[in-house]
Amino acid sequence: MAAKEDLQSKATPRRLRHSRPGTVKQGPNLDVLLSMGFPKTKALKALVSTGGRSVQAACDWLFSHVDDPFLNEPLPREFVLYLRPSGPLLQQLSHFWQQSRLICGKNKAHNIFPHITLCQFFMCADSKVEALCEALESVVSQWRGRFPSPLPLELYTSSSFIGLFVEEQVAELLKKFAADFATEAAAQADVHVEPHKKQLHVTLAYQFQTNHLSSLEKLAKGIEVSLGCDWLAVLFSRDIRFANHETLRVMYPYVPQNEDELELVPGDYIFVLPVEQGSTSEGWIYGTSLGTGLSGLLPENYVDQADESDTWVFHGSHSFLSCNPPAGMAALVNKASDGLLDGPFIGDSSAMGQAPLGIVCQPMQVLRVFGQTKPPKRTLFVCRHGERMDVVFGKHWLSQCLDAKGRYVRTNLNMPLSLLARSGGYRDYEKDAPLTVFGSTQARLVGEALLENNTTVDFVYCSPSLRCVQTAHNILKGLQQEDRRRIRIEPGLFEWTKWVSGPSLPAWIPPTDLSAAGLSVDTTYRPHIPVSKLTVSELYDTYISRSFQVTEDILADCLNMGNTVLIVAHASSLEACTRQIQGLSPQNAKDFVQVVRKIPYLGFCACEEGDARLWRLVEPPVLPLTHGPNHSFSWRETLLQD
């Protein structure tokens, strides 16, 4: 096969127009790829995975997937046929999507754009996709003039679902269209399509919190369903391997430090099994890249939640009112055929007539308090620890820092100058990593910000994890209180033990040893939940109950003895230690994990005590601390040229 540069030079000048703008034709593009030396199976897979847009897009896909372990596997993709609205009705639905997400946060309906489902997901081999697209085009042509317009839609609401249902008699016509498509698809593409048998509808919201029902219902009643709309028959596909996965978007680049880690490129998407998000240790998850097909461990704070349909591939759109695509669609398909759009065509929101759906509310709604330098009531601060060594330098970071004699030698300025001695030797750090130099700096900045706002801390409680103890100590340094306040190490504040890898808990450094090393630790404190009471792989309910109980015990200990308590622990602690003291019920485990994933290093929240011993979230006295990744720099590799 020719070199990559030669192949790209051949591919770039070829700009192939499709015979019809509504359907993506891959035949001519396949001929070009075959003439370039690509095997037919790989060429077809690349064309289908990019929607048949162009030779250039297919080449780019092949080059990026050269190490994909499934590149040579004859896996079919899953396809689905939807009716998508356009025109004024779509604008109304898009407005509802935006407002409902802003006001009530994301619910299950936001995973996919507004649509009416015409069939179940079905499989189609790569070699049959062009025939499948032609089958859809043929059936839509037969139905022009017969398709009911406008579609009569009626609002329906329940405690967990809101939608617009198609009037029954008209719905039967749409089901007949779906049946005709199934027949044509079987004849032309040899695929089995199962038409949707349930009531046809546009889902507006489902699986939302009960207290959001009235707000969502009010927004839904504002949709003018009688507005004009050209309903489009649209074909999408998805990778069959990731049908039941969570979809995440890469926010920051990451260069692997170990062989089992995954490179991250901003804009790429990562597929993660829901069980993986709740079972891996804090800071790391296991996922697969859409852009490369490779799998590995990745730092979870480098990715954010995305919608399921963000990674779907577009294969064609047809209007029932006109042989031409709707405004904006023809231009978009022409751009795709010219190779002007990068990456897989996953439904560009603006060009497809859909407003962007990426507006997510913060996981915690805070109440703003102005003009106060010191809270007059009892206040609880909960803070996550700072940047940790094993996330920045990989879980095998320790092996990078031990010389031939087993002595610690830092190899990067962001590594601490020295490590504390441990009874079990340096290997105890593998499950109880310290802060990076920047992590200590982050913590000191938060302490300095508290000092600038005239905020004092009366009591400091801390998880036994070394990174948490170091964070608490550096916050006190920033507050200039490290000699006046002592950190009470409370094992009950440790993270969910299900996230701990291996058969045992970490071997934490005893408070006496921490104090001897110069950390501001109270060696006389007797914890409410000793280490002996913690169990490996505890249930979610057990962790939530433990966190709530220890928080209440801490607040009771400090009653009438001081106004402000600081807890320094883990990302999960900001939710687990504050939710129930507000009188709220715990979230389910899946939603809990989604909240935890959004909390960065030194994430900081404040709770203020109100009437009846109920607490409420208030504005913290410190500004947020935003920071980004900074890769290792080798002047030799970058600047030294032969």
Side-chain angles (χ1 to χ4, degrees):
M1 186 180 293
K4 177 179 178 179
E5 292 79 6
D6 295 335
L7 292 176
Q8 288 185 325
S9 65
K10 292 178 182 179
T12 302
R14 298 293 298 268
R15 295 186 173 184
L16 304 174
R17 294 287 176 182
H18 306 305
S19 58
R20 287 181 183 268
T23 299
V24 179
K25 304 288 187 181
Q26 63 188 34
N29 292 349
L30 177 61
D31 293 339
V32 175
L33 290 172
L34 295 178
S35 70
M36 294 165 64
F38 287 109
K40 186 174 182 179
T41 54
K42 290 185 179 180
L44 280 170
K45 185 181 289 288
L47 286 169
V48 174
S49 298
T50 56
R53 293 191 281 115
S54 67
V55 171
Q56 183 67 60
C59 285
D60 291 343
W61 188 92
L62 284 166
F63 291 134
S64 65
H65 284 75
V66 66
D67 295 320
D68 186 341
F70 290 90
L71 182 60
N72 296 315
E73 295 294 327
L75 293 176
R77 290 182 68 86
E78 283 193 321
F79 286 76
V80 70
L81 178 63
Y82 285 158
L83 286 180
R84 285 198 64 177
S86 66
L89 179 58
L90 176 60
Q91 294 176 11
Q92 293 265 323
L93 293 173
S94 298
H95 177 74
F96 173 87
W97 241 250
Q98 293 176 23
Q99 294 302 308
S100 62
R101 199 160 186 167
L102 275 172
I103 296 172
C104 304
K106 183 177 180 178
N107 63 67
K108 282 290 186 180
H110 289 121
N111 272 328
I112 306 175
F113 43 76
H115 68 279
I116 295 175
T117 302
L118 292 181
C119 67
Q120 308 299 320
F121 273 95
F122 60 92
M123 292 183 291
C124 179
D126 294 341
S127 60
K128 302 289 187 179
V129 170
E130 186 166 354
L132 179 68
C133 294
E134 291 174 349
L136 176 60
E137 183 178 8
S138 173
V139 175
V140 171
S141 297
Q142 297 170 20
W143 272 77
R144 286 198 180 99
R146 299 165 52 197
F147 190 86
S149 181
L151 288 184
L153 300 172
E154 183 177 353
L155 178 64
Y156 170 83
T157 64
S158 70
S159 60
S160 60
F161 176 88
I162 300 177
L164 298 172
F165 279 78
V166 182
E167 188 271 330
E168 186 174 353
Q169 188 173 1
V170 174
E172 291 303 314
L173 283 175
L174 300 186
K175 291 178 181 179
K176 178 63 169 63
F177 164 76
D180 287 353
F181 168 68
T183 301
E184 192 71 16
Q188 292 199 41
D190 192 27
V191 297
H192 176 70
V193 178
E194 186 70 32
H196 198 60
K197 293 183 171 61
K198 297 181 180 179
Q199 290 180 290
L200 301 186
H201 61 274
V202 178
T203 300
L204 298 179
Y206 77 102
Q207 289 191 16
F208 48 82
Q209 295 183 28
T210 306
N211 60 324
H212 291 157
L213 175 60
S214 59
S215 297
L216 291 170
E217 192 173 26
K218 182 178 179 181
L219 284 172
K221 289 179 179 178
I223 299 174
E224 298 182 46
V225 295
S226 60
L227 289 175
C229 176
D230 182 5
W231 289 90
L232 311 173
V234 187
L235 196 62
F236 285 92
S237 75
R238 67 184 183 188
D239 193 318
I240 192 173
R241 293 175 292 167
F242 309 117
N244 296 313
H245 287 55
E246 296 287 340
T247 306
L248 308 175
R249 182 184 292 104
V250 176
M251 307 303 293
Y252 306 107
Y254 177 75
V255 178
Q257 307 294 320
N258 298 286
E259 291 184 357
D260 59 353
E261 294 172 6
L262 184 65
E263 181 178 6
L264 300 182
V265 178
D268 191 11
Y269 291 88
I270 305 296
F271 299 107
V272 178
L273 277 171
V275 67
E276 290 287 348
Q277 295 190 56
S279 61
T280 51
S281 61
E282 180 191 1
W284 292 90
I285 53 177
Y286 188 86
T288 303
S289 162
L290 171 69
T292 65
L294 300 178
S295 302
L297 292 169
L298 60 134
E300 63 179 346
N301 58 331
Y302 282 43
V303 294
D304 198 6
Q305 192 175 24
D307 297 335
E308 178 186 345
S309 59
D310 286 349
T311 60
W312 291 1
V313 176
F314 168 79
H315 293 276
S317 176
H318 302 278
S319 167
F320 288 93
L321 301 181
S322 170
C323 294
N324 298 317
M329 182 65 73
L332 182 64
V333 175
N334 286 339
K335 284 184 180 181
S337 65
D338 286 340
L340 301 179
L341 296 179
D342 296 328
F345 185 179
I346 52 178
D348 179 86
S349 58
S350 59
M352 292 286 284
Q354 177 190 352
L357 301 181
I359 303 172
V360 183
C361 289
Q362 294 299 316
M364 297 183 182
Q365 298 297 318
V366 295
L367 304 176
R368 197 172 292 272
V369 180
F370 297 97
Q372 295 180 357
T373 57
K374 179 180 178 181
K377 300 180 180 180
R378 282 214 301 166
T379 302
L380 171 67
F381 297 141
V382 185
C383 181
R384 186 190 180 188
H385 59 76
E387 181 182 85
R388 51 192 282 187
M389 285 284 289
D390 55 343
V391 171
V392 175
F393 297 104
K395 65 178 183 177
H396 302 298
W397 64 274
L398 193 60
S399 61
Q400 305 172 33
C401 306
L402 297 180
D403 63 14
K405 295 183 179 181
R407 296 172 299 191
Y408 172 80
V409 179
R410 73 170 179 174
T411 58
N412 189 286
L413 286 177
N414 199 25
M415 295 179 173
L417 276 170
S418 61
L419 295 179
L420 300 178
R422 306 185 73 141
S423 59
Y426 285 133
R427 290 302 169 189
D428 281 352
Y429 280 109
E430 292 180 345
K431 295 179 71 171
D432 187 28
L435 293 180
T436 62
V437 172
F438 184 52
S440 297
T441 303
Q442 292 171 315
R444 193 180 70 252
L445 285 172
V446 169
E448 291 173 353
L450 290 169
L451 181 64
E452 290 172 3
N453 282 279
N454 299 317
T455 301
T456 59
V457 172
D458 300 306
F459 296 95
V460 182
Y461 289 80
C462 184
S463 161
S465 294
L466 178 59
R467 59 189 180 274
C468 299
V469 179
Q470 291 176 320
T471 299
H473 176 79
N474 281 283
I475 290 176
L476 287 175
K477 284 182 68 175
L479 270 166
Q480 300 178 13
Q481 291 184 307
E482 71 270 28
D483 296 327
R484 290 180 289 147
R485 294 286 179 265
R486 294 292 173 184
I487 302 165
R488 296 177 171 181
I489 296 180
E490 175 54 66
L493 292 172
F494 184 58
E495 66 177 329
W496 188 7
T497 62
K498 183 179 178 181
W499 288 334
V500 175
S501 59
S504 62
L505 296 172
W508 292 299
I509 301 176
T512 51
D513 292 354
L514 292 169
S515 178
L519 294 169
S520 306
V521 172
D522 183 352
T523 58
T524 66
Y525 176 70
R526 295 296 176 261
H528 293 282
I529 301 179
V531 174
S532 59
K533 296 295 184 181
L534 298 180
T535 59
V536 179
S537 298
E538 66 187 336
L539 297 175
Y540 170 70
D541 291 344
T542 303
Y543 166 67
I544 292 297
S545 176
R546 163 166 66 86
S547 299
F548 175 46
Q549 184 60 55
V550 77
T551 304
E552 285 206 314
D553 290 342
I554 287 171
L555 294 173
D557 273 357
C558 303
L559 185 63
N560 301 322
M561 298 178 64
N563 281 334
T564 308
V565 177
L566 169 64
I567 288 176
V568 179
H570 306 270
S572 55
S573 305
L574 274 74
E575 171 75 5
C577 293
T578 64
R579 186 172 181 85
Q580 287 178 271
I581 65 173
Q582 299 176 71
L584 302 175
S585 299
Q587 300 200 70
N588 61 54
K590 184 177 180 181
D591 290 340
F592 170 78
V593 170
Q594 293 299 330
V595 170
V596 171
R597 287 183 52 251
K598 298 176 184 294
I599 298 172
Y601 293 130
L602 270 300
F604 195 101
C605 71
C607 262
E608 183 179 275
E609 187 177 29
D611 297 332
R613 293 286 174 87
L614 286 180
W615 296 68
R616 62 171 185 167
L617 287 168
V618 297
E619 187 77 4
V622 296
L623 295 172
L625 175 62
T626 303
H627 46 86
N630 191 60
H631 300 304
S632 177
F633 169 66
S634 170
W635 65 269
R636 189 182 303 276
E637 294 179 4
T638 306
L639 303 178
L640 190 61
Q641 304 292 331
D642 294 333

